[in-house]
Amino acid sequence: MTDTFVGFQRLAQLHSIRLVQPLLIRSRLGAVRQREVVDGRSLLTWPAQYQPADSFRGHFEFGLKYERLHFEFFSRLFAALDPEDVAAWVRDETTGRYARRTAFLYEWFTGRRLDVPDAAANVAYVDAMDAGQYLSATRADRVRRWRVASWWRRFVLCLRINTNQVRFHPWKNPPHIR
């Protein structure tokens, strides 16, 4: 039986992305929800009701909800992705927290501005990442365009905090971020 991957692993398959640092979490569909850990990497199994739409939008939202941030993956994915995939999502869900987070991430990693209007001023800010789960700045930078609070825009590295281990994810700021 072959695994039916979902989330970031599925997007890596769809876009033929080869990572230097493998994803720390891979998600697949199965009969019952479970977690297996091998060599510090988790394989999560999700029942059918968690299955996202087999599209960029469906799998990326799933990954943001249930998997860990992976900057190398984001950089490679957004370089391979048609910007219209992100722009269409934002146009369909102008106040959607995952659409806005994705648009922010796309612009941050690529340095390219999406051809969509800014988020409305009455939309609540959403965190780009959970500052309780990652080592981050003590104060977020608020990005008005997407109404996103960025905890790492000036960071050189991002750490995942875990009771068992801390994983280092080095990432230098792209040249368009000052």
Side-chain angles (χ1 to χ4, degrees):
M1 179 179 124
T2 61
D3 288 327
T4 301
F5 287 105
V6 295
F8 295 151
Q9 180 65 41
R10 178 64 178 143
L11 288 172
Q13 288 175 330
L14 288 172
H15 294 279
S16 302
I17 295 172
R18 296 176 54 109
L19 297 168
V20 173
Q21 296 181 18
L23 295 168
L24 293 176
I25 293 180
R26 293 181 308 146
S27 295
R28 67 179 177 188
L29 296 177
V32 294
R33 190 170 173 176
Q34 66 183 25
R35 178 179 179 211
E36 301 170 46
V37 179
V38 177
D39 295 330
R41 294 188 195 104
S42 296
L43 179 60
L44 305 178
T45 304
W46 300 89
Q49 66 259 32
Y50 286 88
Q51 183 172 3
D54 194 25
S55 64
F56 164 72
R57 184 186 308 193
H59 289 292
F60 202 80
E61 182 173 334
F62 180 94
L64 288 176
K65 285 181 182 178
Y66 303 115
E67 299 176 356
R68 292 185 186 169
L69 300 180
H70 192 290
F71 285 7
E72 178 198 356
F73 170 71
F74 292 167
S75 180
R76 292 178 188 277
L77 174 67
F78 292 143
L81 195 66
D82 180 350
E84 183 55 30
D85 290 343
V86 180
W89 186 2
V90 171
R91 283 191 291 270
D92 289 347
E93 298 179 23
T94 57
T95 62
R97 66 187 307 118
Y98 295 104
R100 290 185 291 123
R101 283 176 66 193
T102 302
F104 163 77
L105 291 167
Y106 177 86
E107 289 186 352
W108 192 78
F109 279 101
T110 66
R112 295 186 302 238
R113 187 175 173 90
L114 292 166
D115 187 22
V116 293
D118 295 358
N122 64 342
V123 175
Y125 275 85
V126 61
D127 287 336
M129 68 177 203
D130 182 349
Q133 295 290 318
Y134 296 88
L135 181 64
S136 65
T138 56
R139 182 180 56 83
D141 290 330
R142 290 182 166 224
V143 180
R144 287 188 192 133
R145 174 161 164 72
W146 297 115
R147 309 289 288 177
V148 167
S150 170
W151 293 91
W152 77 76
R153 281 181 48 176
R154 296 187 182 120
F155 257 44
V156 173
L157 87 113
C158 179
L159 302 175
R160 167 80 167 137
I161 299 172
N162 182 315
T163 55
N164 300 324
Q165 63 187 345
V166 175
R167 289 269 184 175
F168 293 86
H169 300 282
W171 183 265
K172 293 184 180 174
N173 284 338
H176 62 278
I177 301 296
R178 302 279 182 234

